[in-house]
């Protein structure tokens, strides 16, 4: 009997051990481990098929999650959110525009703002030069009769501040013609003109700023310009008839004939215009720029306009080859005729270098004429010149509106879209009717949508300008 009881106890003990073993290490435990692993496959049967190397990789990756404190885990959230947030530069640009509009659209003392890019770190040297440049541009773009009463020439009248690596200068006077004012800014490259907010954006390279500083120093060393202007044939004749010593004429007559003065001034008994045209037709780049600058200061007259504009047009290729285009075109902006302006069409057509054409096109809006706008519209069909021509037309403003409107009937749909892009910047009430008329017959849904959006944009601007 005692032996049977012991056998029974041993059987019970064995059964209990088996049950405990199955509860602690059976398939349920494997399943729980698989489910606790976020990288485990969804299929329960696939878990045992994992190879041995997978286990250490998972066991090494898990402490990176479990060892983190709750604070560290929460810090991940703002980092992830920041990647999808609105870029910071969008709000900064909006803030900058708002800040500028407070000044330019001030009801009591409005002004015009110039945003200068590309001179980060050089603001201290740039500000005085650019202040003078703004004031000079205002003087040159304003009616001579009103200059004495409207223009303040002190540098302090041009406010400035720095924001987002951009220098902003505000002239507390509004030019009658914003485009004419922009063209007189002889520093950097024109990037954009916002007529509604009276904001001009330019980009200056450090070497261009250095050249502007050298030019300013050179101008400060030159004698009074009025003395040079008086040195023409009439003044010399009056001087010869007057009593007393004549030191200036004597020095001119006794000067060394072999002395090379680069023709920086007229010869005795030579008219200023004759001297300028003689030099421009020559080969000296130094004298060429001086002569062109002199023509810019003179007022065209009916007697000499055709002659001067013709010679300037004929010497355009020489100016291009000698890298003298800027001053040459500045002179043409004062002395131009429609016939002379057509020389740019031939110049661009014959030029094979896209980079050279780019430099020429960027200078062409200086000549503010409908003929120049026609030539620029003609360059839109050239893919290499399209971007530069579009920018130039926007700079020219409403004077380019009619040539651009004719593109609305162009057979090429891309040209009709290009016209809409330009008209959004320069269009007036005249464009609204043309856009409506074109939208009624437009077959392309894409172009029609563009026409409607352009019309709405122009209506919005004209309403704001009332």
């Amino acid at each position: 009997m005692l032996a049977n009881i012991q056998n029974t106890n041993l059987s019970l003990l064995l059964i209990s051990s088996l049950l405990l073993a199955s509860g602690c290490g059976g398939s349920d435990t494997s399943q729980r481990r698989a489910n606790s692993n976020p990288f485990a496959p969804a299929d329960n049967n696939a878990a045992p098929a994992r190879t041995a190397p997978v286990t250490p990789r998972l066991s090494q990756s898990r402490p990176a999650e479990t060892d983190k404190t709750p604070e560290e885990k929460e810090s991940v959230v703002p980092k992830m959110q920041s990647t999808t947030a609105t870029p910071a530069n969008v709000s900064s640009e909006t803030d900058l525009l708002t800040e500028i509009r407070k000044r330019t659209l001030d009801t009591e003392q409005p002004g015009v703002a110039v945003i200068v890019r590309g001179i980060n770190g050089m603001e201290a040297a740039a500000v005085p030069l650019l202040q003078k440049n703004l004031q000079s541009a205002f003087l040159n773009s304003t009616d001579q009769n009103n200059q004495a009463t409207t223009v303040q020439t002190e540098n302090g009248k041009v406010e400035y501040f720095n924001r987002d690596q951009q220098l902003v200068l505000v002239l507390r006077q509004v030019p009658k013609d914003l485009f004419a004012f922009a063209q007189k800014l002889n520093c950097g490259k024109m990037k954009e003109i916002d007529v509604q907010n009276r904001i001009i954006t330019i980009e200056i390279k450090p070497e261009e700023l250095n050249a502007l500083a050298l030019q300013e120093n050179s101008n400060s060393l030159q004698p009074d310009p009025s003395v040079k202007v008086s040195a023409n044939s009439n003044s010399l004749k009056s001087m010869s008839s007057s009593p007393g010593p004549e030191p200036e004429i004597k020095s001119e007559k006794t000067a060394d004939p072999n002395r090379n003065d680069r023709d920086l001034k007229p010869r005795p008994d030579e008219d200023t215009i004759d001297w300028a045209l003689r030099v421009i037709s020559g080969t000296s780049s130094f004298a060429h720029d001086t002569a062109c600058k002199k023509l810019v200061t003179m007022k065209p007259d009916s007697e000499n306009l055709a002659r001067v504009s013709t010679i300037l047009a004929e010497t355009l290729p020489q100016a291009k080859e000698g890298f003298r285009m800027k001053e040459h075109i500045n002179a043409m902006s004062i002395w131009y005729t429609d016939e002379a302006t057509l020389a740019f069409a031939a110049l661009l057509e014959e030029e094979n270098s896209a980079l050279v054409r780019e430099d020429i096109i960027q200078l062409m809006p200086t000549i503010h004429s409908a003929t120049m706008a026609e030539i620029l519209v003609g360059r839109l069909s050239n893919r290499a010149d399209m971007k530069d021509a579009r920018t130039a037309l926007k700079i020219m403003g409403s004077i380019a509106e009619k040539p651009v409107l004719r593109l609305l009937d162009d057979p090429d749909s891309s040209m009709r879209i290009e016209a809409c892009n330009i008209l959004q910047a320069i269009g007036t009430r005249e464009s609204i009717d043309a856009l409506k008329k074109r939208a009624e017959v437009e077959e392309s849904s894409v172009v029609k949508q563009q026409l409607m959006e352009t019309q709405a944009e122009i209506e919005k601007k004209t309403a704001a300008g009332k």
Side-chain angles (χ1 to χ4, degrees):
M1 177 67 71
L2 183 60
N4 290 333
I5 293 173
Q6 290 176 348
N7 291 335
T8 302
N9 291 336
L10 288 173
S11 299
L12 292 173
L13 181 62
L14 181 60
I15 292 171
S16 300
S17 300
L18 291 174
L19 292 174
L20 288 173
S22 62
C24 296
S27 60
D28 290 342
T29 304
S30 301
Q31 183 64 35
R32 284 197 301 271
R33 288 179 180 174
N35 292 337
S36 65
N37 183 2
F39 300 98
D43 187 1
N44 294 339
N45 295 328
R50 289 180 296 173
T51 58
V54 174
T55 304
R57 286 204 300 269
L58 295 177
S59 63
Q60 290 171 5
S61 63
R62 289 186 59 80
E65 294 290 330
T66 57
D67 292 346
K68 288 184 178 180
T69 64
E71 292 78 3
E72 293 174 336
K73 291 181 179 180
E74 291 176 358
S75 65
V76 176
V77 176
K79 291 182 180 179
M80 295 175 64
Q81 291 176 345
S82 63
T83 59
T84 59
T86 303
N89 62 337
V90 174
S91 59
S92 63
E93 289 179 2
T94 304
D95 293 341
L96 178 61
L97 178 61
T98 304
E99 184 69 22
I100 295 175
R101 291 180 58 177
K102 290 179 182 178
R103 293 169 167 82
T104 59
L105 304 181
D106 189 343
T107 55
E108 296 182 358
Q109 194 177 10
V112 57
V114 178
I115 301 176
V116 184
R117 299 174 179 171
I119 56 172
N120 187 32
M122 304 175 66
E123 291 83 358
V127 167
L129 297 171
L130 294 172
Q131 285 177 325
K132 292 182 180 179
N133 199 269
L134 262 67
Q135 292 162 350
S136 176
F138 183 82
L139 283 169
N140 294 331
S141 63
T142 305
D143 188 356
Q144 295 289 335
N145 297 329
N146 298 329
Q147 288 181 12
T149 59
T150 61
V151 178
Q152 301 288 341
T153 57
E154 298 179 9
N155 287 346
K157 298 302 179 182
V158 179
E159 304 173 3
Y160 68 92
F161 62 93
N162 200 318
R163 177 75 62 84
D164 301 328
Q165 299 183 351
Q166 296 180 111
L167 178 65
V168 181
L169 297 100
V170 181
L171 177 66
R172 286 295 189 173
Q173 289 161 315
V174 180
K176 292 183 178 179
D177 188 341
L178 188 63
F179 293 98
F181 171 78
Q183 295 303 326
K184 299 300 180 181
L185 295 172
N186 60 346
C187 53
K189 292 184 178 180
M190 196 74 56
K191 306 302 290 185
E192 184 179 356
I193 297 179
D194 185 346
V195 179
Q196 183 177 352
N197 296 311
R198 289 196 288 269
I199 301 175
I200 301 171
T201 304
I202 63 175
E203 183 175 359
I204 302 180
K205 297 179 181 179
E207 53 268 25
E208 293 174 330
L209 183 62
N210 293 334
L212 188 63
L214 291 174
Q215 180 182 352
E216 183 64 28
N217 293 335
S218 175
N219 293 338
S220 63
L221 295 175
Q222 290 181 359
D224 188 352
S226 60
V227 177
K228 287 187 175 182
V229 174
S230 64
N232 53 31
S233 58
N234 294 330
S235 62
L236 291 174
K237 289 177 181 178
S238 62
M239 290 173 63
S240 62
S241 61
S242 61
E246 302 175 355
E248 292 186 5
I249 297 180
K250 182 178 179 181
S251 62
E252 193 70 35
K253 290 181 179 180
T254 58
D256 183 359
N258 296 324
R259 176 175 174 264
N260 181 16
D261 62 356
R262 295 186 179 181
D263 290 321
L264 295 179
K265 56 184 177 180
R267 296 170 181 171
D269 298 326
E270 183 179 32
D271 187 74
T272 303
I273 291 181
D274 293 336
W275 156 74
L277 296 180
R278 174 174 60 83
V279 169
I280 290 172
S281 301
T283 58
S284 173
S285 60
F286 192 89
H288 171 278
D289 289 354
T290 304
C292 287
K293 290 178 181 179
K294 187 63 181 177
L295 287 175
V296 170
T297 64
M298 301 176 69
K299 186 176 181 179
D301 58 275
S302 57
E303 181 181 352
N304 292 299
L305 177 59
R307 178 168 68 105
V308 175
S309 63
T310 299
I311 293 180
L312 288 172
E314 291 175 350
T315 54
L316 259 177
Q318 294 175 242
K320 182 197 70 174
E321 296 299 332
F323 303 100
R324 303 188 293 269
M325 289 292 293
K326 181 176 181 180
E327 298 300 338
H328 199 96
I329 295 179
N330 282 341
M332 292 188 71
S333 68
I334 304 298
W335 299 82
Y336 75 87
T337 60
D338 290 339
E339 293 78 11
T341 306
L342 291 174
F344 283 92
L347 188 70
L348 292 171
E349 193 65 31
E350 296 170 0
E351 179 55 54
N352 295 324
S353 172
L355 294 176
V356 175
R357 293 199 306 272
E358 177 184 354
D359 291 338
I360 297 173
I361 291 173
Q362 288 177 348
L363 293 170
M364 287 169 64
T366 305
I367 303 177
H368 207 63
S369 71
T371 302
M372 183 60 78
E374 291 277 4
I375 297 172
L376 288 169
V377 168
R379 302 309 302 179
L380 291 172
S381 58
N382 187 308
R383 297 298 177 183
D385 298 342
M386 177 183 290
K387 180 180 178 181
D388 298 313
R390 179 197 310 137
T391 303
L393 287 166
K394 289 181 179 180
I395 291 174
M396 292 193 73
S398 58
I399 197 170
E401 183 178 24
K402 288 184 178 179
V404 174
L405 282 175
R406 285 194 282 271
L407 285 178
L408 293 177
D409 296 324
D410 194 284
D412 189 347
S413 60
S414 65
M415 288 294 98
R416 300 197 295 275
I417 293 177
E418 191 65 34
C420 291
N421 292 333
I422 299 172
L423 289 172
Q424 286 187 16
I426 68 172
T428 64
R429 293 184 180 276
E430 184 178 350
S431 296
I432 296 177
D433 293 336
L435 290 165
K436 286 182 179 178
K437 183 178 179 181
R438 180 64 207 183
E440 293 174 356
V441 297
E442 181 59 52
E443 297 179 355
S444 170
S445 58
V446 175
V447 178
K448 188 170 185 176
Q449 179 66 25
Q450 190 72 21
L451 291 166
M452 297 172 63
E453 291 177 358
T454 302
Q455 176 186 334
E457 182 67 22
I458 297 174
E459 289 176 344
K460 179 181 177 181
K461 286 186 176 182
T462 54
K466 287 183 178 179

